[in-house]
Amino acid sequence: MWLLLKGGRVIDPSQGIDDIADVLVRDGVIAGTGKIELESMDGAPGEVYDVTGKVVAPGLIDMHVHLREPGDEHKETIATGAAAAAAGGFTTIVAMPNTHPAPDSRAVVDLITTEGKKTRVNVLCCGALTKNMAGEEMAELGEIVEAGAVAASDDGFPIQNSLVMRRVMEYAGMLNIPVLVHCEDKALTAGAVMNEGIVSTVVGLRGMPAAAEVSMIERNILLAELAGCRLHIQHVSCAASVDVIRLAKARGVKVTCETCPQYFTLTDEVLADYDTNTKMNPPLRTAADVEAIKAGLADGTIDVIATDHAPHSLEDKEVEMTVAAFGIVGLETALPLVVTKLVDDGVMSLSDAIEKLTARPAEVLGINRGTLDIGAPADIVVFDPEEEITVQASKFKSMGRNTPFDGWKLKGAVIATIAGGKVAYGKLGTESKEQVILEHA
Amino acid sequence: MNKLERKDILGLQDMSPEDIRLILDTAVSMKEILKRPVKKVPTLRGKSVCTLFFEPSTRTRTSFEVAAKVLSADVSGITASASSIVKGESFKDTLLTLQAMGVDLFVIRHQAGGAPHYAASIVPAHVINAGDGMHEHPTQGLLDMMTIVENKGRLDGLVVTIVGDILHSRVARSNVWGLTRMGATVRLAGPKTLIPVEAEKLPVEVYTDIDEAVEGADVINVLRIQLERMNSGFFPSAREYARMFGINKERLRRAKPDVTLMHPGPMNRGIEITPDVADGEFAVITDQVTNGVAVRMALLYLLLGGGANVAAA
């Protein structure tokens, strides 16, 4: 079986391609890009779709999602999270370890990867760094990696003890997996629900100072240098964080980082309405921080765009601000926010933005994806960067409805998501005789 | 008679000078009723007011209850410890349950900033914020303004110094918005640890030297220091606090000779205020309590009542 996508704007930053071209998929892998003639198929059965006017890119990779399974299946399951991923153009997602139980042993990693294989996208597991993510005893990282975990993290329970952190970094470095860190000095953020500043002062909610994030990033960079591990800073939210990471990179530290669409789109001023869908950790920061995040994305300091997709049930959010759960869903709004807020607003080219959603996260994770190179798994997203969409939380594939973007009009519509050569979401083609409607079965 | 064109009273930050003036003028009429031998008018007969308190409070709850009863409204009350809230019922369900019982107006105190806003968004009844976390306490702000007007005849052009735990104080925030809207200058003063972050971006002057802060002030509003703050490292001891930030006779001399001294209560005598000053000639602390009832009557009347002239009713 083969599948030919004809005439699209093929953007593959891994190979420096941004051109009108065809993409050929055969037996689940990329078989070629460029000018591809039908005659070359030698009459073998296959399908041809005209994707003129659409962008054809490697399937997006989200290295930061919370799938809630096992333990919190009322918020999301691996199946629904994977469906949301496909709807958002993502073909690979990395499940964070804040499940119950946490993947701090081979058995839980196995469960997550087994359930992941039942979905249409590629679900990878991020193991826990310490047992039960308590920040005290190292988890069985060797076995966790053997079982297929691609990274390790203690997620939103960052290791406060510097000695424990040093040891797990040394061990993870030996295993050659990246350590993903949520950087937060918990003593500085106790009881806080939003960014600390004039807005928190006015609305009377406890604030988290930017210093709680920045100081922990600096500590972790120093420890990673000492330990010799690959460090990846998650969801960078403030200007000073971008500055310290830029300096660390300049002196050659093996550090990468990500931000999320909410941090280049919203400021803490939206908290004035006490909408619990604006409560997240790290919190939305100031306009100056948003500008610094954009600058960091543009100059390459920020390597990756991830979502921190954090689905919650209504009862976790329809409560007072102080007790509401942290986090928002992101898989189904990420691409339109990137197109609208980064590309259309002139922060960066579409190709550079796609690189941060494909080749760069693949590189950080050390996986052979995020590329349209011959032989790579046929993970592809076809989208229309010009089509306007209206975000409708009620229609999300995710079980989570917790988004601050409900009702927003954005640009960038996913037409189809192909994972491993199979359509995981959407449909290709409509009219001509070469084209067959391929509803996702 | 003018009407208050709003469903809820959630804070003073978004309140116009016209609305503030209307409330304060109405409160003056209400105070007349409180001076009568028979403190009862039928204005709000048949209206149902529910006080919903998620934080311990005696004076504010009692003040609202007295205000509602003088106006002949029916008053019910729920406090967090005595209700189904401890059984795990959500705030939303508590509100919907009470709404279904026909409540016309909720008076809500809650430890979470924004809780009354959330309530106002889900119940059709009126909501008055009786203090939400560190956010606002609009009825306290209004009664403080009423008390200042009683003593000074105006708000415009006055210098009002608010001293103490500004960080955790919803009273301070409501005072800042109300007073500055009416043309007063507000000074906030206290130890650096109890001044909120970026307070200088508020329309105020910020001081950590109390002597400077009270210099030439027309009004000093002394906030309560909660003793649990002392154990969380905000300041070293009650003794040092009293010495560096307490209001005593010597400090009071730096203010205007006719200074008005206020305190929202309850007082820690000997810590934020010395007993001689608290009981002295400049203090109007018990007037504040009476004005609290009058202001709350005014709000209940303006939100629930009609155009009838209440004093004649």
Side-chain angles (χ1 to χ4, degrees):
Chain A
M1 270 296 284
W2 52 265
L3 177 71
L4 182 60
L5 303 173
K6 279 196 79 70
R9 176 182 169 194
V10 175
I11 301 180
D12 180 11
S14 76
Q15 303 181 84
I17 298 172
D18 183 353
D19 214 346
I20 304 299
D22 310 325
V23 175
L24 178 66
V25 173
R26 189 176 259 165
D27 301 327
V29 297
I30 305 288
T33 51
K35 181 86 184 131
I36 295 165
E37 299 301 337
L38 274 181
E39 294 76 57
S40 65
M41 301 307 151
D42 295 331
E47 290 154 355
V48 183
Y49 298 102
D50 181 358
V51 290
T52 304
K54 309 290 188 280
V55 170
V56 178
L60 309 181
I61 297 172
D62 187 350
M63 62 181 293
H64 193 154
V65 302
H66 300 274
L67 297 181
R68 307 303 188 201
E69 185 179 351
D72 293 299
E73 292 85 352
H74 63 293
K75 294 177 192 252
E76 189 84 292
T77 65
I78 291 170
T80 59
F90 291 90
T91 52
T92 295
I93 50 179
V94 181
M96 287 301 119
N98 65 338
T99 51
H100 302 97
D104 59 0
S105 68
R106 175 194 290 274
V108 184
V109 176
D110 280 344
L111 182 146
I112 292 167
T113 38
T114 303
E115 288 304 307
K117 287 203 171 80
K118 297 177 187 169
T119 72
R120 288 160 183 269
V121 303
N122 183 32
V123 179
L124 301 175
C125 180
C126 174
L129 282 168
T130 66
K131 286 177 185 158
N132 208 24
M133 294 193 296
E136 289 161 9
E137 292 175 79
M138 198 188 303
E140 291 175 335
L141 285 174
E143 283 207 356
I144 288 170
V145 172
E146 267 179 27
V150 293
S153 175
D154 265 4
D155 208 324
F157 307 92
I159 298 170
Q160 302 293 297
N161 183 314
S162 300
L163 178 61
V164 173
M165 194 59 168
R166 177 188 181 176
R167 296 257 157 82
V168 298
M169 281 179 168
E170 286 172 337
Y171 207 82
M174 171 187 81
L175 297 168
N176 197 28
I177 53 164
V179 172
L180 317 185
V181 284
H182 165 126
C183 294
E184 177 184 354
D185 182 333
K186 290 280 191 183
L188 281 172
T189 60
V193 303
M194 64 176 293
N195 181 50
E196 184 179 276
I198 182 61
V199 182
S200 67
T201 288
V202 169
V203 302
L205 293 171
R206 261 181 233 284
M208 309 183 191
E213 174 176 315
V214 185
S215 62
M216 216 40 135
I217 290 177
E218 295 206 87
R219 183 204 72 168
N220 286 337
I221 286 171
L222 293 171
L223 290 177
E225 277 183 285
L226 188 63
C229 84
R230 287 193 284 137
L231 178 68
H232 177 79
I233 316 281
Q234 297 181 299
H235 45 44
V236 170
S237 72
C238 54
S241 300
V242 179
D243 290 341
V244 301
I245 294 166
R246 189 180 285 123
L247 286 173
K249 285 185 163 190
R251 70 168 191 270
V253 184
K254 285 185 287 182
V255 59
T256 55
C257 69
E258 74 195 24
T259 191
C260 312
Q262 51 269 34
Y263 302 118
F264 58 70
T265 304
L266 297 172
T267 69
D268 60 351
E269 297 196 5
V270 297
L271 273 292
D273 293 333
Y274 297 104
D275 176 357
T276 54
N277 286 332
T278 60
K279 179 180 173 182
M280 61 197 78
N281 186 4
L284 297 171
R285 307 282 189 184
T286 68
D289 293 304
V290 167
E291 289 313 307
I293 295 289
K294 287 180 181 172
L297 282 163
D299 74 9
T301 302
I302 300 177
D303 304 88
V304 169
I305 297 168
T307 68
D308 194 6
H309 177 80
H312 288 294
S313 53
L314 278 180
E315 64 267 26
D316 297 319
K317 284 290 194 178
E318 285 192 336
V319 289
E320 301 89 314
M321 202 69 182
T322 49
V323 295
F326 285 101
I328 62 171
V329 290
L331 283 166
E332 291 166 86
T333 49
L335 183 61
L337 285 166
V338 166
V339 169
T340 310
K341 296 293 170 186
L342 294 182
V343 181
D344 278 11
D345 285 0
V347 177
M348 57 176 57
S349 69
L350 185 56
S351 177
D352 287 348
I354 288 174
E355 182 176 21
K356 293 175 193 298
L357 287 158
T358 57
R360 292 297 288 136
E363 198 178 319
V364 173
L365 296 166
I367 56 173
N368 177 32
R369 292 183 188 267
T371 176
L372 298 177
D373 201 4
I374 291 173
D379 295 346
I380 300 170
V381 60
V382 180
F383 68 97
D384 185 342
E386 297 303 322
E387 186 178 332
E388 286 205 10
I389 59 136
T390 302
V391 177
Q392 285 180 281
S394 62
K395 302 245 171 96
F396 281 165
K397 304 283 183 200
S398 169
M399 288 164 68
R401 300 285 178 263
N402 48 309
T403 175
F405 303 114
D406 195 24
W408 280 39
K409 289 194 188 338
L410 298 167
K411 276 172 70 181
V414 175
I415 307 297
T417 306
I418 298 166
K422 294 188 179 129
V423 175
Y425 172 81
K427 59 184 181 183
L428 285 160
T430 43
E431 299 100 16
S432 87
K433 71 175 166 57
E434 287 187 336
Q435 297 167 341
V436 184
I437 293 173
L438 192 59
E439 296 288 354
H440 64 283
Chain B
M1 181 170 202
N2 290 324
K3 276 201 77 179
L4 210 46
E5 296 297 333
R6 52 173 68 232
K7 170 178 168 274
D8 311 298
I9 303 293
L10 302 177
L12 299 188
Q13 190 188 358
D14 65 345
M15 198 174 278
S16 67
E18 293 72 35
D19 281 355
I20 292 172
R21 227 168 272 131
L22 171 64
I23 294 164
L24 297 184
D25 289 348
T26 310
V28 172
S29 314
M30 295 296 169
K31 195 167 179 179
E32 292 302 314
I33 297 170
L34 291 174
K35 287 177 185 161
R36 293 178 188 175
V38 178
K39 301 171 185 60
K40 195 90 170 174
V41 290
T43 318
L44 297 185
R45 200 157 51 193
K47 296 290 184 186
S48 170
V49 171
C50 179
T51 60
L52 192 48
F53 276 60
F54 294 85
E55 246 184 16
S57 157
T58 317
R59 61 180 60 213
T60 303
R61 189 161 54 80
T62 307
S63 178
F64 269 106
E65 282 176 11
V66 168
K69 284 174 179 170
V70 171
L71 294 172
S72 299
D74 295 314
V75 188
S76 55
I78 285 190
T79 53
S81 55
S83 75
S84 57
I85 290 139
V86 289
K87 290 181 231 151
E89 187 180 56
S90 73
F91 183 43
K92 180 184 175 181
D93 286 335
T94 303
L95 287 162
L96 293 176
T97 302
L98 292 165
Q99 179 71 74
M101 294 178 191
V103 169
D104 296 303
L105 184 147
F106 287 100
V107 175
I108 298 176
R109 166 164 293 189
H110 202 294
Q111 61 271 33
H117 302 64
Y118 176 64
S121 73
I122 57 178
V123 293
H126 302 281
V127 173
I128 297 179
N129 178 3
D132 62 327
M134 305 182 289
H135 176 231
E136 281 224 43
H137 192 351
T139 59
Q140 180 74 43
L142 289 163
L143 76 88
D144 287 345
M145 285 194 279
M146 180 180 181
T147 308
I148 296 171
V149 173
E150 269 184 358
N151 284 274
K152 302 290 182 209
R154 68 192 165 104
L155 293 165
D156 188 39
L158 297 179
V159 173
V160 180
T161 300
I162 304 174
V163 186
D165 180 359
I166 311 295
L167 175 63
H168 300 97
S169 179
R170 51 199 175 208
V171 176
R173 285 167 177 78
S174 285
N175 264 277
V176 166
W177 299 123
L179 288 166
T180 55
R181 186 92 1 115
M182 302 309 284
T185 297
V186 176
R187 299 176 180 170
L188 298 178
K192 176 68 180 162
T193 46
L194 292 173
I195 301 282
V197 169
E198 298 187 1
E200 68 282 359
K201 291 187 180 170
L202 296 168
V204 298
E205 298 167 7
V206 179
Y207 295 82
T208 52
D209 182 320
I210 303 305
D211 289 336
E212 282 177 25
V214 301
E215 192 74 47
D218 296 287
V219 178
I220 300 174
N221 197 345
V222 188
L223 301 177
R224 170 182 169 77
I225 282 295
Q226 302 210 327
L227 292 175
E228 62 262 31
R229 305 292 175 222
M230 205 163 53
N231 306 322
S232 351
F234 286 100
F235 54 91
S237 66
R239 183 180 158 277
E240 179 157 315
Y241 186 90
R243 218 173 77 86
M244 289 185 70
F245 306 100
I247 296 298
N248 53 36
K249 230 179 219 161
E250 291 69 45
R251 286 212 164 101
L252 212 52
R253 280 199 201 102
R254 295 174 175 269
K256 290 261 176 72
D258 62 342
V259 65
T260 297
L261 184 76
M262 306 201 296
H263 191 300
M267 280 186 283
N268 294 304
R269 287 168 181 264
I271 301 179
E272 71 262 13
I273 190 165
T274 54
D276 56 336
V277 169
D279 298 330
E281 56 180 318
F282 303 111
V284 294
I285 296 164
T286 52
D287 294 340
Q288 287 175 271
V289 177
T290 310
N291 291 343
V293 178
V295 156
R296 286 160 186 137
M297 284 171 69
L299 290 173
L300 293 173
Y301 169 72
L302 290 167
L303 291 177
L304 288 175
N309 183 336
V310 69

